Amino acid sequence: MSDPLIADVPAIDLVRALVTVRQTVATAESLTAGLLAATIAGVPGASAVLRGGLVVYATDLKHSLAGVDAEVLATEGPVAASTAEQLAVGARTRCGADWGVGLTGVAGPDSQDGHPVGTVFLGLAGPGHTEVMRLKLPGDRWTIRIGATRTAVSELLRCVREAGSGPADRVGRSG
């Protein structure tokens, strides 16, 4: 039986792309609680590219483990674009990876700090590249968490491919 986490997720393509460009990835996950790292790890050969992951479900751990600025957490909260960006940067730097992915959001059943269920912020940080996107995902807790994971894998794959194609092919994404 193949790993059910990698079904319908381009995790195999992501691992291959990272191997091709000789780069690594690390995660800092809140609402997905390690699901992204587990999905990548489900691909045979993932040990060549997956450095590790931080499960930072509690707000204080976003600061102490992933390095999210305490002021950002106090003013903008744990579910915010700036938090996702700092989670990605923190995963990258603290795990010594080329790419960092940060995920934070609200899987439900209740809204959090004025954010409705399904609100997810995805941060990506890599060589000369940082971006954040806000997602609105429908469904129950599992559907939202797997949707966030699927999107993170797909978007990181896009970034790795764009970075591998050279700066002339990358428009408006460097940061």
Side-chain angles (χ1 to χ4, degrees), residues 94-154:
R94 296 196 175 206
C95 294
D98 296 295
W99 290 94
V101 182
L103 280 165
T104 188
V106 184
D110 301 315
S111 62
Q112 179 183 339
D113 300 327
H115 296 287
V117 172
T119 302
V120 176
F121 290 95
L122 166 63
L124 301 162
H129 180 102
T130 304
E131 69 179 89
V132 177
M133 56 191 68
R134 181 186 179 129
L135 312 173
K136 176 62 179 149
L137 302 173
D140 60 14
R141 287 179 58 78
W142 173 251
T143 305
I144 291 166
R145 293 173 68 230
I146 197 70
T149 299
R150 183 178 294 118
T151 303
V153 170
S154 296

Side-chain angles (χ1 to χ4, degrees), residues 9 25 29 61 70 78 81-82 88 94 103 137 140 157 162 168:
V9 178
V25 63
E29 304 177 62
L61 294 181
S82 55
R94 296 196 175 206
L103 280 165
L137 302 173
D140 60 14
L157 176 58
E162 287 178 0

Side-chain angles (χ1 to χ4, degrees), residues 3-173:
D3 190 316
L5 290 177
I6 65 172
D8 302 320
V9 178
I12 293 170
D13 294 334
L14 174 61
V15 169
R16 285 182 184 152
L18 286 165
V19 166
T20 298
V21 297
R22 295 183 177 146
Q23 292 181 338
T24 57
V25 63
T27 66
E29 304 177 62
S30 183
L31 85 153
T32 50
L35 190 56
L36 174 57
T39 298
I40 296 168
V43 177
S47 60
V49 299
L50 180 62
R51 291 280 302 152
L54 307 168
V55 175
V56 289
Y57 211 71
T59 300
D60 63 307
L61 294 181
K62 289 172 180 63
H63 171 69
S64 63
L65 292 180
V68 176
D69 187 275
E71 183 69 21
V72 166
L73 291 169
T75 59
E76 298 180 43
V79 180
S82 55
T83 300
E85 179 179 2
Q86 289 188 20
L87 286 172
V89 170
R92 180 179 186 224
T93 57
R94 296 196 175 206
C95 294
D98 296 295
W99 290 94
V101 182
L103 280 165
T104 188
V106 184
D110 301 315
S111 62
Q112 179 183 339
D113 300 327
H115 296 287
V117 172
T119 302
V120 176
F121 290 95
L122 166 63
L124 301 162
H129 180 102
T130 304
E131 69 179 89
V132 177
M133 56 191 68
R134 181 186 179 129
L135 312 173
K136 176 62 179 149
L137 302 173
D140 60 14
R141 287 179 58 78
W142 173 251
T143 305
I144 291 166
R145 293 173 68 230
I146 197 70
T149 299
R150 183 178 294 118
T151 303
V153 170
S154 296
E155 292 298 325
L156 179 57
L157 176 58
R158 174 187 55 80
C159 290
V160 170
R161 285 178 172 164
E162 287 178 0
S165 66
D169 295 336
R170 209 169 43 201
V171 179
R173 295 233 181 242

